[in-house]
Amino acid sequence: MPPSKILKYWLPVLLWMGLIFWMSTGMFSASNTFNFLQQVLRSIDPALSNSTVRLINNSLRKAGHVTEFFISGILVFRAFRSGSNEPRMFRWAMLSAVFIVLFAVSDEFHQSFVASRTASFLDVGIDTGGGILAVCVSMLRQYRKRR
């Protein structure tokens, strides 16, 4: 594969991985996002309880995991496909799924070294679920394109 094609398909994956690893730093810890969200929500409704803000914060954080890895799944499937129209969809999907699982584990491993973050098997599952959902959507899209 020519270098220009490698860059076209794998550079977005690497940039997105870098963004996710950056978001795994202390800057995006639960307490920091809680404080920010609390200010925003209390400007809208000053009577909101801390438990309500905490619930919204946790829900948004989990939705963020799904979204981050959904985008990862699309980018990784696209990279493995590399513009090919050959019927290798199952292979691309399996490679993408393995990549997503390994990336989710590495992201949580990275968080285990950040004092204000915690590594969680639940988050690995949520990340993997978002990535696998994206791979399924990508496969469906590819299947429809070929028909």
Side-chain angles (χ1 to χ4, degrees):
M1 182 183 312
S4 62
K5 202 168 188 177
I6 292 171
L7 275 178
K8 177 181 178 179
Y9 291 106
W10 285 100
L11 185 61
V13 173
L14 294 175
L15 291 173
W16 190 252
M17 287 173 68
L19 179 66
I20 289 174
F21 269 67
W22 176 65
M23 289 190 290
S24 293
T25 64
M27 184 183 298
F28 293 93
S29 68
S31 61
N32 285 343
T33 59
F34 176 84
N35 291 335
F36 173 77
L37 188 61
Q38 179 175 246
Q39 289 177 348
V40 171
L41 292 175
R42 293 257 165 82
S43 71
I44 297 166
D45 182 1
L48 276 178
S49 68
N50 275 348
S51 61
T52 301
V53 175
R54 198 171 296 108
L55 176 66
I56 293 169
N57 185 49
N58 289 339
S59 299
L60 288 175
R61 291 177 62 78
K62 298 309 175 196
H65 278 270
V66 172
T67 303
E68 289 172 353
F69 278 81
F70 185 89
I71 293 168
S72 295
I74 289 172
L75 292 174
V76 169
F77 184 88
R78 175 184 173 266
F80 279 119
R81 188 172 80 77
S82 300
S84 172
N85 288 319
E86 294 179 31
R88 295 184 179 164
M89 200 172 348
F90 185 74
R91 179 177 179 215
W92 301 327
M94 288 297 103
L95 289 170
S96 298
V98 168
F99 188 98
I100 291 296
V101 169
L102 293 175
F103 181 40
V105 168
S106 72
D107 182 47
E108 292 303 311
F109 182 69
H110 168 244
Q111 287 183 35
S112 73
F113 293 100
V114 178
S116 59
R117 303 296 300 259
T118 55
S120 162
F121 284 115
L122 176 63
D123 287 348
V124 171
I126 292 169
D127 296 344
T128 299
I132 299 297
L133 179 62
V135 170
C136 292
V137 168
S138 297
M139 286 176 64
L140 182 61
R141 185 170 177 252
Q142 189 67 26
Y143 178 74
R144 286 186 175 170
K145 252 181 158 177
R146 286 200 320 215
R147 287 191 143 224

